[in-house]
Amino acid sequence: MKEHPIGIFDSGVGGLSVLKELINLIPNENYLYFGDTARVPYGEKTKEQLTSYVREILDWFKIQNVKAVVMACNSSSATVYENIKNDYNFPIFSLIEPTADFITYLNSEKIGVLATSATVNSRAYSTKINKASPSKTVYEVACPGLVEIIENNKTATSEAKKLVIKYVVPLLEKGVEKIILGCTHYPFLGHIIQDIANDKEILIDPAKHIATKVSESLLLLDILNDSEKGAVKFYASSNAQMFVEAGKIFYPALENAEELIISEIIKIAK
Ligand code: DGL
């Protein structure tokens, strides 16, 4: 069991920001990373669509004998997690709760959240934060277009900067003290946001908090891998080459990915 892989998935390269934090904390694990590039962006899909995508991926992970699954996608964590978390025989981790818990202990009263439309419409961050800390004001901003920029490897363009300014400046004008990167793709643009805010400490990356949660939980369950070295295997549901090119910008160790189309995943899991 200890050597079984941890499954981690996202709509594309965004979840690499979570993988990076996991590998920092628990480098000996074996990881299976699935990027659903055929159906990106998840943030523009309905709850019903996301539920069916997530179940297909989890069913496939189950056949791969995973010992745990990390939802490295806020859109699915915000809309699907609560409904499916007890349906599998392995623990499933969501991005929202560990970050909301962290915010509770912060002094900051005004918090911004940059996220996809699916995450913003669910109000998952504001609901969880305000449940524990009703005095905090949480501003959630949907940022359509950013995921496409990252998937198409355009983070260094003026188009990227313009769009980031459009979403971040109004939040700064509201006086937010912290900004949650509520989509796992957005750490790819973190440096631009920090520059606009002129504040290196303004960002909160949920990837760090979910990684801590995963490592603590696996330790408690006594299923951390104690062998010397882990491995990572990458899969993308379309255009694996583009996945590698866009992903490398943030995760240079990414060298190749296997293309695994959705109909194949469904067939394997049957
Ligand atoms: N990176 C995912 C998230 O955290 C999905 C983004 C998308 O595909 O729209 O929400």
Side-chain angles (χ1 to χ4, degrees):
M1 175 68 148
K2 291 186 172 183
E3 288 176 13
H4 288 197
I6 297 173
I8 167 166
F9 75 90
D10 179 41
S11 61
V13 295
L16 296 171
S17 61
V18 176
L19 179 66
K20 201 172 184 176
E21 297 298 337
L22 282 167
I23 289 180
N24 267 343
L25 276 186
I26 39 176
N28 297 352
E29 298 298 328
N30 294 305
Y31 294 95
L32 293 182
Y33 184 101
F34 184 78
D36 196 358
T37 45
R39 301 188 287 201
V40 67
Y42 272 18
E44 303 302 318
K45 304 293 188 299
T46 63
K47 181 175 176 172
E48 290 67 34
Q49 284 172 309
L50 291 177
T51 304
S52 111
Y53 299 172
V54 169
R55 282 200 189 280
E56 286 164 8
I57 296 167
L58 291 175
D59 290 347
W60 177 73
F61 275 144
K62 189 174 170 188
I63 303 293
Q64 310 305 313
N65 277 323
V66 296
K67 62 180 179 185
V69 167
V70 178
M71 300 179 94
C73 168
N74 287 270
S75 307
S76 343
S77 298
T79 58
V80 181
Y81 173 72
E82 284 299 333
N83 289 338
I84 52 100
K85 64 182 180 191
N86 298 320
D87 292 356
Y88 291 83
N89 60 353
F90 42 77
I92 300 172
F93 296 93
S94 142
L95 280 153
I96 316 287
E97 293 74 13
T99 305
D101 289 348
F102 171 75
I103 299 287
T104 306
Y105 297 103
L106 271 188
N107 266 333
S108 319
E109 283 297 307
K110 285 187 176 185
I111 311 287
V113 181
L114 299 173
T116 64
S117 304
T119 302
V120 168
N121 292 338
S122 77
R123 309 208 60 226
Y125 275 107
S126 55
T127 306
K128 292 250 153 64
I129 292 169
N130 284 143
K131 197 168 168 202
S133 319
S135 71
K136 294 194 197 289
T137 308
V138 183
Y139 301 98
E140 292 163 297
V141 177
C143 308
L146 290 185
V147 165
E148 289 83 344
I149 280 180
I150 294 154
E151 288 292 325
N152 293 312
N153 203 359
K154 288 186 178 163
T155 50
T157 61
S158 59
E159 182 194 350
K161 194 165 178 190
K162 259 194 217 149
L163 208 50
V164 175
I165 289 174
K166 177 176 153 195
Y167 296 134
V168 172
V169 169
L171 269 184
L172 296 172
E173 285 171 355
K174 291 198 165 87
V176 296
E177 299 146 85
K178 294 284 175 196
I179 296 178
I180 298 174
L181 297 173
C183 168
T184 53
H185 281 76
Y186 300 169
F188 285 57
L189 300 165
H191 55 289
I192 305 181
I193 304 172
Q194 285 172 340
D195 285 351
I196 295 166
N198 195 18
D199 182 351
K200 293 259 174 270
E201 308 297 321
I202 198 161
L203 298 180
I204 292 174
D205 186 355
K208 292 196 192 324
H209 302 288
I210 194 176
T212 306
K213 174 80 188 172
V214 172
S215 71
E216 287 173 357
S217 302
L218 299 191
L219 179 66
L220 272 177
L221 293 167
D222 194 24
I223 53 171
L224 277 175
N225 194 5
D226 24 43
S227 70
E228 290 272 297
K229 200 169 155 31
V232 193
K233 201 150 192 270
F234 295 95
Y235 298 88
S237 56
S238 81
N239 207 344
Q241 191 50 41
M242 190 63 206
F243 170 83
V244 171
E245 272 163 35
K248 255 196 173 139
I249 301 288
F250 193 82
Y251 190 86
L254 172 58
E255 275 170 7
N256 50 59
E258 190 177 313
E259 206 159 289
L260 185 56
I261 59 172
I262 295 300
S263 56
E264 203 48 41
I265 282 200
I266 296 172
K267 204 159 88 194
I268 295 168
K270 263 195 180 152

